[in-house]
């Protein structure tokens, strides 16, 4: 088990630090738990008169490296928006970064965990009949993948 620290960052730069952390077997499990917790936290922010879209959960591993960031705007957009999403995985031997519609979501040391997380997010959107495309860029190639929902979309459908 690895320990992950879930910090809350405000768009004005303020940060609430998690000093205790939580244990998860891997980054993907931590991401699923954080995404689930975000559902409850958005109500806490709203009850206090704060716009949840002004906040993000930044998750660090036990070495202090930010392994992913879940902006509430991303989470709310994916649960509320009907628009299409574009996920980008940009990587090299130094690591892999994930963006959704040009907003940073997460970083991984290896490609496989980054891809697994992106396809989990895409599958979540597909379950809601929301289309996505995935762009994978490394030093040698750029790949483009369309989710099954996008393939089923009417011709002429534009990406956001």
């Amino acid at each position: 088990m690895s320990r992950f620290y879930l910090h809350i960052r405000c768009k004005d730069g303020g940060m609430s630090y998690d000093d205790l952390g939580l244990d998860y077997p891997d980054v993907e499990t931590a991401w699923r738990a954080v995404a689930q917790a975000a559902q409850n936290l958005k109500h806490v922010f709203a009850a206090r008169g704060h716009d949840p879209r002004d906040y993000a959960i930044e998750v660090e591993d036990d070495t202090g490296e930010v392994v992913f960031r879940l902006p509430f705007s991303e989470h709310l957009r994916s649960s509320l928006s009907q628009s299409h999403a574009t996920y980008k995985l940009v990587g090299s031997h130094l690591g892999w970064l994930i963006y959704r519609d040009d907003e940073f979501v997460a970083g991984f040391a290896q490609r496989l965990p980054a891809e697994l997380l992106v396809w989990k997010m895409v599958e979540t959107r597909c379950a809601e009949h929301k289309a996505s495309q995935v762009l994978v860029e490394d030093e040698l190639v750029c790949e483009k993948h369309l989710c099954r929902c996008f393939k089923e979309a009417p011709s002429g459908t534009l990406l956001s």
Side-chain angles (χ1 to χ4, degrees):
M1 288 279 191
S2 299
R3 184 156 292 271
F4 295 91
Y5 300 88
L6 289 66
H7 310 303
I8 305 292
R9 180 176 294 279
C10 182
K11 76 175 184 178
D12 70 5
M15 179 88 97
S16 174
Y17 291 93
D18 172 9
D19 295 326
L20 301 176
L22 296 168
D23 293 327
Y24 296 105
D26 52 42
V27 174
E28 292 79 18
T29 304
W31 184 86
R32 284 193 299 274
V34 168
Q36 183 67 30
Q39 287 287 20
N40 298 326
L41 284 174
K42 71 182 179 185
H43 300 297
V44 172
F45 287 116
R48 294 181 178 175
H50 298 280
D51 185 347
R53 293 172 293 186
D54 292 340
Y55 297 88
I57 301 173
E58 282 189 2
V59 178
E60 289 183 359
D61 62 14
D62 53 5
T63 67
E65 178 183 347
V66 175
V67 291
F68 68 88
R69 180 176 185 264
L70 179 62
F72 281 92
S73 58
E74 152 72 15
H75 190 68
L76 292 172
R77 179 173 48 214
S78 67
S79 63
L80 298 175
S81 172
Q82 296 299 319
S83 67
H84 302 337
T86 298
Y87 292 94
K88 287 188 227 173
L89 280 92
V90 181
S92 69
H93 66 283
L94 299 174
W96 288 82
L97 302 176
I98 300 170
Y99 297 89
R100 180 178 185 253
D101 297 331
D102 296 322
E103 186 172 343
F104 176 73
V105 174
F108 290 87
Q110 298 176 341
R111 178 178 174 164
L112 182 59
E115 281 191 53
L116 290 173
L117 178 57
V118 166
W119 287 110
K120 177 76 173 166
M121 291 187 285
V122 167
E123 284 300 313
T124 299
R125 288 182 55 81
C126 274
E128 299 169 354
H129 305 289
K130 298 175 185 171
S132 304
Q133 74 173 346
V134 177
L135 305 174
V136 182
E137 301 174 17
D138 66 16
E139 297 99 349
L140 303 175
V141 297
C142 179
E143 305 167 17
K144 179 179 179 179
H145 306 275
L146 302 177
C147 75
R148 70 177 184 274
C149 292
F150 191 84
K151 292 175 185 173
E152 295 166 2
S155 69
T157 302
L158 300 176
L159 290 172
S160 61

